[in-house]
Amino acid sequence: MGTKTADETGAETGAEATTEEKANVAKTDAVTEAEDTSAEDTAADEIDDEDDLPEAAREEGPTGVGQGAGAVVSAALGLVSLTGSWVGTVASARQSLVGQLHAQTATSSDVAKLLDEGYGDAWKATAFWGGVFALIALVVGVGVLARPAFGAPGKPQATWIKSVAWGGVALGVVGLLLAVLKYTDLLLDLPSAS
């Protein structure tokens, strides 16, 4: 019986050891698999979060911020060309003052000349500066619309940038047309002196 007990004990010990080894191996495999999954998740999170990468590591094209700003500037300048600007107001007031000084020092009483110097030149100064702002709005708007032809080939221009730039071009054209009409006295010319 002693032999049998030793054999049974050895068999039981061997069986327990084998079961424990299998459990340890299974635990080790589970831990290793969890670590691998965790490492893959961390790597995926690092790749997804490109904002944390340095700029040299990011491969992205132009953002369109400059084009958007240009479009807004074009529209604003076009609006200024229609409504008037501080520069145009100052130039108009200056020409009006110069006309008044000429009227006070003039010995002749030519009313047409006084009207032209006092108000006509001021009107033309306002028209001139309105035309300058309209021309700048037109050039900037066309530049923004033409920019994608010279930029990154696969990156389309945002729709809102095109819309605002077209608005700036339209306002620039209308402002330039009105400035030319005002400057040439085809629109709201001076009243006759007679």
Side-chain angles (χ1 to χ4, degrees):
M1 275 183 99
T3 310
K4 190 174 182 185
T5 307
D7 288 339
E8 288 175 1
T9 306
E12 287 176 7
T13 306
E16 288 175 5
T18 306
T19 307
E20 285 181 48
E21 287 176 2
K22 287 181 184 178
N24 286 340
V25 168
K27 286 180 185 177
T28 304
D29 288 343
V31 169
T32 305
E33 186 177 330
E35 289 175 357
D36 290 344
T37 305
S38 175
E40 289 173 4
D41 289 344
T42 304
D45 288 342
E46 289 175 5
I47 291 171
D48 288 340
D49 195 11
E50 289 183 3
D51 293 338
D52 295 337
L53 292 176
E55 287 187 31
R58 278 189 257 165
E59 291 184 26
E60 58 182 60
T63 59
V65 172
Q67 294 176 28
V72 170
V73 166
S74 173
L77 289 173
L79 189 62
V80 166
S81 74
L82 294 176
T83 60
S85 68
W86 178 80
V87 176
T89 303
V90 169
S92 173
R94 181 181 184 281
Q95 286 303 120
S96 180
L97 181 63
V98 168
Q100 288 175 5
L101 289 174
H102 282 263
Q104 288 178 358
T105 59
T107 56
S108 70
S109 61
D110 186 12
V111 176
K113 185 177 179 183
L114 293 176
L115 276 174
D116 187 45
E117 287 180 356
Y119 299 103
D121 290 346
W123 181 251
K124 287 184 180 181
T126 303
F128 173 78
W129 284 105
V132 168
F133 279 99
L135 187 62
I136 294 171
L138 188 61
V139 168
V140 171
V142 168
V144 168
L145 290 172
R147 173 67 176 99
F150 303 105
K155 184 102 174 167
Q157 192 174 44
T159 306
W160 74 268
I161 293 174
K162 288 180 186 177
S163 299
V164 174
W166 275 114
V169 168
L171 288 171
V173 167
V174 170
L176 195 58
L177 180 65
L178 287 175
V180 168
L181 290 175
K182 287 192 295 187
Y183 195 84
T184 58
D185 290 331
L186 293 174
L187 179 69
L188 299 173
D189 61 340
L190 288 173
S192 64
S194 54

